[in-house]
């Protein structure tokens, strides 16, 4: 292959084991993330990834350029033909003979072949392949398009786990990329005999995830999806084995943005259910704390109140319905009527608890009901999830407190499935992936430390990998997320990002050119980071294969 330039090593800008620079023709089209190859000692080759590109001429100053153009005449022909070149800074990502001394002055630089790109980025000899998207390298006649695969063991365990996706709402297509990966996971794992998985998605926005088992019918989008799916080895089908779960309501749409007819048809077909919470259930009583996850409780007063309720002492003795519980709470708020075990809890604290409970209960009386009827308990369905099954739980129309309640209940149910289920171990999916958008609602730096949902998220991100519980979370600003949650995510994906956001600590080690690229990434593009890749990758992914529009 023809050389494109040579290494520059100067007194002020030496080559190091981490980076080097080279000159190249000013007309050669290069861009950040492109891979180049440098001749090195012992017939080895060193690989670099382009980070910055500068243009230099022999003009001593800006004034010289002004003077040479007839003292500022933009239409004039320059008196002096300037000698120019492009000056490219690269990060070292490897050497084919594991030689890491700095590359030397004057050594030739080449564009990388497909095989060399794969070696340089750590994409060669990938085990446990799981599609991540594709990359486009160089431009024009030199264009290279390569599929990118994760090692699934570093995305969903057991070696590494959890994915965090961040970016501006809408422009970053966070849900679309998460769903692309989840579809790839289902495709790959449905063909495995030695490993299995199941997926639980929480629909938090409109009808985003309420048609994932239906095919995208836009011909123009399918035309662009097909070649990418063929390259990545994915099936041209939507999600399979999908079951939808809606909050119970008599008119079907009180707590859902889905269409009444659609919900009815799914219920009749048996691929949808309405879920309820009964107070008579011990598990549902124990989840009361989830309704208060965003309430700061430094003195653990709420915990004390819930302990009193669960002990069924005093006015709570024999209470088995939500309405009776509400009445018992009301009586507890009256001065002089507290039970003996609750003397240390002030009436004002009981009144605060009663007010917060009523806020959620009165909005969702059909979900917090006293009779199961044709409904189901969500916790039971989660603990009986089957291999390769996809559960979509619709919480988009619930108030924020009730959304947190359902999310927290799902996480606890998954933990119970993995730690204390009566099911035979061989029947339980090896990996259970939970996908939640708007993660900032539950794991931001502003969430009270006493939040039971935050505690559960910390437990999943810190211990879930070894248990086979995997979190896929998405939010607008990664800087808002609790450092222990995002710090334990083996994979980070950055979509189009706010200018202010890239100044935060989370982007401290991202090269400045990459930061600027983040502010103008197009939909369908992400910059991803994973332990198996030797550098951050600028990947692309196709439109959703499922119906994501009305």
């Amino acid at each position: 292959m023809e050389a494109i330039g040579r290494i520059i090593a100067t007194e002020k800008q030496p080559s190091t084991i981490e980076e080097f620079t080279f000159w190249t023709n000013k007309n050669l089209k290069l861009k950040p993330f492109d891979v180049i190859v440098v001749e090195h000692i012992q017939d080895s080759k060193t690989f670099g990834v382009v980070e910055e590109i500068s243009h230099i001429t022999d003009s001593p100053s800006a004034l010289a350029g002004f003077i040479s153009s007839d003292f500022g005449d933009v239409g004039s022909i320059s008196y002096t033909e300037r000698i120019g070149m492009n000056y490219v800074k690269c990060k070292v990502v490897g050497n084919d003979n594991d030689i890491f001394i700095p590359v030397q002055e004057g050594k030739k630089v080449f564009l990388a072949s497909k095989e060399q790109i794969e070696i340089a980025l750590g994409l060669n000899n990938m085990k446990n392949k799981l599609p991540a998207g594709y990359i486009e390298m160089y431009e024009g006649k030199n264009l290279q398009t390569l599929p990118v695969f994760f090692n699934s063991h570093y995305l969903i365990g057991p070696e590494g786990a959890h994915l965090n996706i961040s970016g501006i709402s809408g422009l970053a297509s966070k849900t679309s990329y998460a769903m692309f990966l989840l579809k790839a996971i289902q495709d790959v794992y449905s063909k495995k005999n030695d490993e299995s998985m199941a997926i639980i998605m929480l629909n938090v926005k409109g009808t985003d995830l309420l048609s994932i088992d239906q095919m995208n019918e836009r011909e123009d989008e399918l035309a662009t999806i097909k070649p990418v799916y063929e390259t990545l080895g994915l099936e041209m089908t939507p999600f399979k084995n999908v079951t939808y779960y809606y909050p119970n309501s008599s008119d079907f749409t009180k707590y859902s943005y889905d269409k009444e007819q659609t919900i009815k048809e799914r219920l009749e077909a048996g691929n949808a259910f309405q879920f309820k919470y009964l107070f008579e259930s011990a598990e549902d009583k124990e989840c009361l704390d989830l309704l208060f996850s965003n309430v700061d409780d430094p003195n653990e007063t709420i915990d004390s109140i819930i302990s009193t309720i669960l002990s069924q002492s005093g006015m709570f003795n024999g209470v088995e319905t939500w309405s009776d519980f509400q009445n018992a709470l009301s009586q507890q708020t009256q001065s002089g009527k507290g039970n003996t075990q609750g003397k240390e809890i002030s009436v004002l604290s009981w009144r605060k608890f009663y007010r917060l409970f009523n806020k959620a209960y009165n909005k969702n009386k059909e979900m917090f009901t006293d009779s199961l009827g044709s409904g189901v308990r969500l916790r039971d369905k989660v603990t009986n999830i089957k291999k390769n099954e996809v559960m979509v739980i619709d919480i988009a129309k619930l108030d924020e407190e009730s959304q947190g309640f359902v999310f927290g209940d799902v996480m606890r149910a998954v933990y119970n499935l993995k730690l204390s289920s009566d099911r035979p171990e061989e029947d339980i999916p090896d990996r259970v992936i939970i996908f939640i958008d708007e993660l900032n609602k539950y794991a931001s730096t502003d969430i009270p430390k006493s939040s039971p949902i935050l505690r559960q998220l910390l437990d999943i991100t810190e211990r879930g990998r070894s248990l086979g519980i995997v979190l896929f979370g998405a939010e607008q600003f990664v800087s808002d997320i609790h450092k222990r949650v995002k710090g334990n995510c083996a994979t980070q994906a950055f979509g189009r990002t706010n200018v202010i956001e890239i100044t935060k600590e989370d982007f401290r080690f991202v090269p400045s050119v990459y930061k600027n690229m983040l502010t103008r990434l197009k939909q369908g593009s992400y910059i991803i980071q994973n332990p198996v890749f030797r550098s951050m990758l600028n990947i692309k992914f196709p439109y959703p294969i499922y119906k994501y529009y009305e």
Side-chain angles (χ1 to χ4, degrees):
M1 187 174 289
E2 185 179 351
I4 61 169
R6 290 182 182 269
I7 295 296
I8 303 170
T10 66
E11 182 180 350
K12 293 184 178 180
Q13 186 71 49
S15 295
T16 71
I17 61 173
E18 294 181 345
E19 63 182 32
F20 60 84
T21 55
F22 69 94
W23 61 258
T24 187
N25 189 297
K26 61 185 178 182
N27 295 318
L28 178 69
K29 291 184 177 180
L30 286 176
K31 60 183 183 296
F33 294 103
D34 282 350
V35 174
I36 57 89
V37 183
V38 183
E39 292 179 337
H40 204 16
I41 62 172
Q42 299 179 7
D43 294 325
S44 68
K45 302 248 184 328
T46 289
F47 305 111
V49 174
V50 174
E51 289 191 346
E52 293 183 15
I53 305 173
S54 306
H55 179 66
I56 302 174
T57 72
D58 63 344
S59 177
S61 67
L63 183 59
F66 175 81
I67 294 172
S68 67
S69 295
D70 199 9
F71 295 90
D73 182 358
V74 295
S76 70
I77 299 175
S78 177
Y79 295 145
T80 305
E81 186 67 30
R82 295 296 180 187
I83 299 172
M85 69 171 187
N86 282 355
Y87 180 78
V88 184
K89 177 183 174 183
C90 295
K91 180 182 76 172
V92 175
V93 292
N95 178 279
D96 60 0
N97 283 346
D98 292 331
I99 297 173
F100 288 99
I101 65 170
V103 293
Q104 297 174 7
E105 163 69 27
K107 289 294 184 179
K108 290 183 179 180
V109 178
F110 303 84
L111 297 181
S113 65
K114 180 178 178 180
E115 292 74 19
Q116 288 172 330
I117 293 171
E118 291 178 342
I119 294 170
L121 299 178
L123 305 178
N124 62 318
N125 302 320
M126 186 68 71
K127 298 179 180 178
N128 310 303
K129 283 188 174 182
L130 186 66
Y134 64 98
I135 55 177
E136 291 181 344
M137 200 76 61
Y138 318 131
E139 293 187 12
K141 67 177 183 179
N142 297 316
L143 178 66
Q144 295 266 19
T145 302
L146 288 81
V148 176
F149 296 91
F150 288 114
N151 181 333
S152 64
H153 287 191
Y154 288 85
L155 178 67
I156 60 174
E159 304 298 336
H162 316 306
L163 165 71
N164 185 258
I165 307 175
S166 61
I168 297 173
S169 180
L171 294 173
S173 305
K174 298 185 295 294
T175 300
S176 296
Y177 187 54
M179 297 299 283
F180 168 75
L181 292 179
L182 291 170
K183 168 67 167 62
I185 290 170
Q186 188 184 48
D187 277 9
V188 171
Y189 275 74
S190 64
K191 300 171 185 174
K192 287 178 175 281
N193 295 319
D194 57 338
E195 292 181 285
S196 61
M197 62 86 226
I199 300 170
I200 300 175
M201 307 174 183
L202 288 103
N203 180 62
V204 300
K205 293 184 295 187
T207 59
D208 276 8
L209 308 181
L210 299 182
S211 299
I212 66 169
D213 58 344
Q214 299 177 40
M215 192 68 176
N216 184 338
E217 296 175 346
R218 294 177 175 174
E219 294 297 329
D220 57 332
E221 293 184 2
L222 289 174
T224 64
I225 294 171
K226 187 175 181 180
V228 178
Y229 268 50
E230 288 178 348
T231 300
L232 295 173
L234 297 176
E235 298 178 15
M236 284 290 290
T237 57
F239 283 88
K240 301 175 183 178
N241 303 327
V242 180
T243 308
Y244 297 91
Y245 294 86
Y246 301 94
N248 181 68
S249 67
S250 56
D251 66 358
F252 301 101
T253 59
K254 182 176 182 180
Y255 304 124
S256 176
Y257 291 104
D258 215 348
K259 296 176 182 177
E260 179 180 347
Q261 187 61 31
T262 300
I263 298 174
K264 285 182 177 180
E265 289 174 357
R266 286 175 173 168
L267 290 171
E268 291 172 3
N271 62 349
F273 299 92
Q274 290 187 312
F275 62 87
K276 301 179 178 180
Y277 288 95
L278 275 62
F279 192 78
E280 66 183 21
S281 163
E283 291 91 346
D284 292 344
K285 290 178 186 177
E286 290 172 359
C287 283
L288 275 174
D289 60 333
L290 299 172
L291 284 174
F292 310 95
S293 58
N294 287 336
V295 179
D296 199 5
D297 187 31
N299 299 319
E300 299 184 348
T301 306
I302 290 176
D303 279 351
S304 298
I305 290 175
I306 291 175
S307 295
T308 301
I309 294 167
L310 293 178
S311 68
Q312 296 189 352
S313 59
M315 295 175 184
F316 301 103
N317 184 30
V319 173
E320 293 187 351
T321 67
W322 289 105
S323 53
D324 287 347
F325 174 62
Q326 187 181 38
N327 291 333
L329 273 181
S330 178
Q331 294 179 47
Q332 191 71 48
T333 63
Q334 307 302 311
S335 299
K337 293 190 177 182
N339 61 56
T340 55
Q341 291 190 22
K343 281 185 177 180
E344 73 279 4
I345 304 172
S346 70
V347 171
L348 289 177
S349 295
W350 280 104
R351 288 174 181 172
K352 179 182 178 181
F353 185 92
Y354 178 61
R355 184 177 68 255
L356 293 170
F357 169 76
N358 274 350
K359 181 182 177 183
Y361 174 66
N362 290 334
K363 288 181 181 178
N364 305 286
K365 280 189 175 182
E366 290 190 77
M367 185 176 73
F368 296 107
T369 186
D370 297 333
S371 173
L372 193 60
S374 60
V376 298
R377 292 180 67 246
L378 196 55
R379 176 174 288 254
D380 292 340
K381 289 295 183 180
V382 171
T383 53
N384 284 289
I385 194 168
K386 298 179 177 62
K387 295 178 179 180
N388 207 37
E389 182 180 354
V390 179
M391 292 179 62
V392 180
I393 302 168
D394 185 17
I395 58 174
K397 209 171 181 179
L398 295 177
D399 61 279
E400 192 168 320
E401 290 78 12
S402 299
Q403 284 186 347
F405 179 87
V406 175
F407 178 41
D409 183 48
V410 168
M411 288 193 291
R412 288 183 178 177
V414 172
Y415 246 77
N416 288 341
L417 168 66
K418 285 293 187 176
L419 291 175
S420 57
S421 175
D422 294 330
R423 292 171 60 184
E425 187 174 347
E426 61 271 15
D427 290 343
I428 299 174
D430 297 317
R431 314 267 186 276
V432 179
I433 305 166
I434 304 172
F435 170 55
I436 179 75
D437 200 351
E438 299 183 1
L439 183 64
N440 53 292
K441 285 185 178 180
Y442 315 108
S444 80
T445 53
D446 297 326
I447 296 294
K449 293 181 179 179
S450 59
S451 167
I453 295 180
L454 176 59
R455 289 199 300 268
Q456 192 75 52
L457 281 168
L458 289 171
D459 212 18
I460 285 177
T461 53
E462 293 174 347
R463 295 180 57 218
R465 176 186 58 80
S466 59
L467 297 173
I469 304 173
V470 182
L471 176 71
F472 278 24
E475 73 287 326
Q476 292 186 39
F477 305 118
V478 67
S479 61
D480 287 345
I481 302 301
H482 194 290
K483 63 181 180 181
R484 285 166 59 192
V485 173
K486 62 191 176 189
N488 279 293
C489 290
T491 305
Q492 300 284 341
F494 304 100
R496 187 162 179 171
T497 304
N498 187 290
V499 176
I500 297 174
E501 174 71 359
I502 63 173
T503 65
K504 302 293 180 63
E505 180 70 18
D506 295 86
F507 297 88
R508 178 181 174 186
F509 297 104
V510 177
S512 60
V513 174
Y514 293 5
K515 289 180 186 178
N516 291 332
M517 287 182 67
L518 281 170
T519 65
R520 55 180 186 271
L521 279 179
K522 296 179 180 178
Q523 287 183 316
S525 292
Y526 261 85
I527 293 178
I528 60 174
Q529 195 171 36
N530 181 272
V532 300
F533 303 144
R534 293 179 178 173
S535 174
M536 300 179 82
L537 302 182
N538 182 13
I539 62 97
K540 301 178 187 295
F541 63 97
Y543 287 105
I545 190 72
Y546 60 89
K547 187 177 181 181
Y548 63 97
Y549 49 85
E550 284 296 327

